[in-house]
Amino acid sequence: MASLFLRNQRFSLATLLLLLELLTVNLLMADAQIGVCYGMMGNNLPPANEVVDLFKSNNIRRMRLYDPNQAALQALRNSGIELILGVPNSDLQGLATNADTARQWVQRNVLNYWPSVKIKYVAVGNEVSPVGGSSWLAQYVLPAVQNVYQAIRAQGLHNQIKVSTAIDLTLIGNSYPPSQGSFRGDVRSYLDPIIGYLLYASAPLLVNVYPYFSYRDNSRDISLPYAIFTSPNVVVQDGQYGYQNLFDAMLDSVHAAIDNTRIGYVEVVVSESGWPSDGGFGATYDNARVYLDNLVRRAKRGSPRRPSKPTETYIFAMFDENQKSPDIEKHFGLFSPNKQKKYPFGFGGRCHGEVVINDFNATISLKSDM
C-alpha cells in the first residue's frame, strides 16, 4: 500500500508539472503577438469567408487588411480576430480635405462593424513618402489621419481604436549602428508632425520591416544567418545592446530614430515583414521557411532596446498573389491560393522557446543563390 501511495504521489507530481508546463506554454503563446496580412491581389484566391476560417483554424488571431473590403469585414464578424484596417492611398486626398468624407468613411467601414469586428488600428495610407513617386500624397496623410481620428473620437472609441499610418524604412537615413538611427533630413518636416500626433493620441507608428531586401541589396556586408535569425552569436555590438539578427537591429534603428527626434516615446508595430520563397536573389523556400518560422517564435519578445514588451508583428502575406509585381512580390505567401500551407510551422499549440539555430544547421542547407 505504501509503495502504491508513493507511486500515486509521483504521478500526481508529474501531472502537476505537466499542467504547469502547459500553462506556461499557453501564457507564452498568449504573449506571441503575431498576425498576417491578407492581401487580395490575386485572381485565384479563396472567398473571404474561407480565408477567415483559414485564419481561425491556424490560430492566427490578428489580420491586416489593406482596404475596407466589405466581404472580408462581414466574414470577420464575431471571429475574435483583431484587425488593422487599411485606408488605401487612393482615399487619402478625400479624407484629408473633407471631414464629412472622413466621418462617412468611419461610419461605413468602422462603426457599421464595431464591436463585432475587433478593429484595433486604422492604418491611414501605406508607405507614403514625401520624396519619390508618392510624394504628392504626403501632404494628405496627417490631415487624413486627424480627420479619421476625430470621427472615431466623436464616438468615444479613440482609446479602443488607434489611428496611425504605415511607413517603410526608406525614411530612415542612418540605421547603423541601431542606436544612431535617424530619419532622413528631407522627410523630417513630413514625419515629425505625424510622430507628434501619435504621441498625442497614444497610437503606435506602423512600420514595414524587411530584412530580406537589406540582405539582397547588401549581401557582401550582411550574412544570411544574420538576416534569417540563425546566427549563433552576437553580430553587432552597439554599446549595451547586442544584435544577433538583422530584424532586431532594423527595428531598434526605428526606435532610436523616433527617440532622436526628441518628440516623445511612441511605440512601434511591425505592420509587415516577410521573406519570398522564389523570384530573386536569396529568395528560396528554405530561406523563407527558416526566416518566417523564427519570426513567429520571436514575436513573443521585445527588441534589445525595447525588451519589456513583445513586438506586435504582422507577416506579409497570407497568400501568394499572382497579380502583384515585380515577380518577387508574388512569392511572399504563407499559403498557396488553394489554402495549402507552404511551410510546416504553425501559430499556436506548441511553444518554441528558442530560435532555431542548431536544428537548422544540422538538418538543412540554405541556398542564398550566391
Side-chain angles (χ1 to χ4, degrees):
M1 288 293 291
S3 61
L4 178 61
F5 173 77
L6 289 173
R7 282 199 300 273
N8 286 339
Q9 290 295 96
R10 283 197 294 272
F11 175 76
S12 298
L13 181 59
T15 302
L16 179 60
L17 290 172
L18 177 61
L19 289 172
L20 286 172
E21 182 180 353
L22 290 172
L23 178 60
T24 302
V25 165
N26 288 333
L27 287 172
L28 286 170
M29 288 310 304
D31 284 342
Q33 301 198 31
I34 199 82
V36 178
C37 302
Y38 174 17
M40 299 183 185
M41 294 184 67
N43 61 11
N44 57 353
L45 300 181
N49 62 311
E50 294 182 18
V51 176
V52 170
D53 287 342
L54 195 61
F55 268 72
K56 290 163 63 177
S57 64
N58 284 276
N59 198 36
I60 305 169
R61 310 309 301 169
R62 292 172 173 85
M63 175 190 290
R64 180 180 179 186
L65 272 180
Y66 290 91
D67 63 79
N69 180 279
Q70 299 298 297
L73 289 170
Q74 288 287 357
L76 283 165
R77 287 190 187 275
N78 303 311
S79 66
I81 294 171
E82 291 186 339
L83 181 65
I84 299 180
L85 176 61
V87 174
N89 292 348
S90 57
D91 288 357
L92 291 175
Q93 184 175 0
L95 296 178
T97 55
N98 191 320
D100 282 337
T101 300
R103 282 191 288 271
Q104 291 164 14
W105 194 98
V106 168
Q107 180 63 56
R108 182 170 62 252
N109 302 306
V110 176
L111 302 179
N112 285 357
Y113 294 97
W114 177 271
S116 64
V117 177
K118 296 175 66 175
I119 300 167
K120 187 175 186 182
Y121 309 115
V122 177
V124 181
N126 184 50
E127 298 188 346
V128 175
S129 172
V131 292
S134 62
S135 59
W136 71 277
L137 285 170
Q139 62 186 308
Y140 301 119
V141 173
L142 182 57
V145 166
Q146 291 171 324
N147 282 345
V148 170
Y149 170 79
Q150 291 298 339
I152 289 173
R153 184 185 178 93
Q155 303 297 318
L157 296 175
H158 54 292
N159 290 325
Q160 292 102 312
I161 303 171
K162 298 298 183 178
V163 184
S164 186
T165 190
I167 67 167
D168 63 25
L169 291 193
T170 64
L171 302 190
I172 295 285
N174 184 56
S175 62
Y176 184 87
S179 63
Q180 298 303 306
S182 60
F183 294 114
R184 290 166 43 180
D186 57 353
V187 306
R188 287 290 299 272
S189 62
Y190 162 72
L191 205 49
D192 281 19
I194 291 174
I195 293 171
Y197 152 78
L198 296 173
L199 181 67
Y200 157 74
S202 300
L205 180 63
L206 308 179
V207 183
N208 300 339
V209 180
Y210 282 97
Y212 167 74
F213 292 109
S214 295
Y215 167 70
R216 182 195 68 181
D217 297 339
N218 303 278
S219 61
R220 189 174 65 178
D221 300 319
I222 297 172
S223 73
L224 182 64
Y226 185 55
I228 61 173
F229 297 98
T230 58
S231 174
N233 302 303
V234 168
V235 175
V236 173
Q237 189 66 47
D238 181 15
Q240 63 181 306
Y241 305 120
Y243 293 92
Q244 206 166 331
N245 66 79
L246 180 57
F247 179 92
D248 278 353
M250 294 173 73
L251 179 58
D252 271 358
S253 74
V254 179
H255 289 137
I258 295 171
D259 293 345
N260 289 335
T261 66
R262 304 190 184 280
I263 295 170
Y265 177 87
V266 171
E267 289 190 359
V268 171
V269 168
V270 177
S271 45
E272 287 181 17
S273 189
W275 194 287
S277 59
D278 200 356
F281 176 87
T284 70
Y285 174 87
D286 284 338
N287 289 356
R289 178 180 70 82
V290 173
Y291 177 82
L292 293 166
D293 188 10
N294 284 326
L295 184 65
V296 172
R297 297 165 189 258
R298 188 223 164 275
K300 67 176 178 287
R301 62 177 175 81
S303 66
R305 197 177 181 91
R306 298 280 193 273
S308 62
K309 185 177 179 182
T311 305
E312 189 173 348
T313 303
Y314 291 77
I315 294 174
F316 183 85
M318 192 64 174
F319 298 106
D320 285 341
E321 298 171 65
N322 64 4
Q323 294 178 317
K324 296 207 70 166
S325 64
D327 184 67
I328 197 158
E329 299 258 348
K330 296 178 170 68
H331 304 285
F332 276 85
L334 294 173
F335 292 81
S336 299
N338 65 2
K339 300 191 291 186
Q340 295 301 304
K341 290 175 68 172
K342 282 171 66 178
Y343 308 106
F345 58 83
F347 295 86
R350 277 178 62 215
C351 174
H352 305 280
E354 298 294 332
V355 165
V356 178
I357 298 172
N358 295 331
D359 178 59
F360 147 73
N361 287 334
T363 59
I364 64 174
S365 173
L366 293 193
K367 302 174 182 63
S368 64
D369 294 347
M370 295 179 69

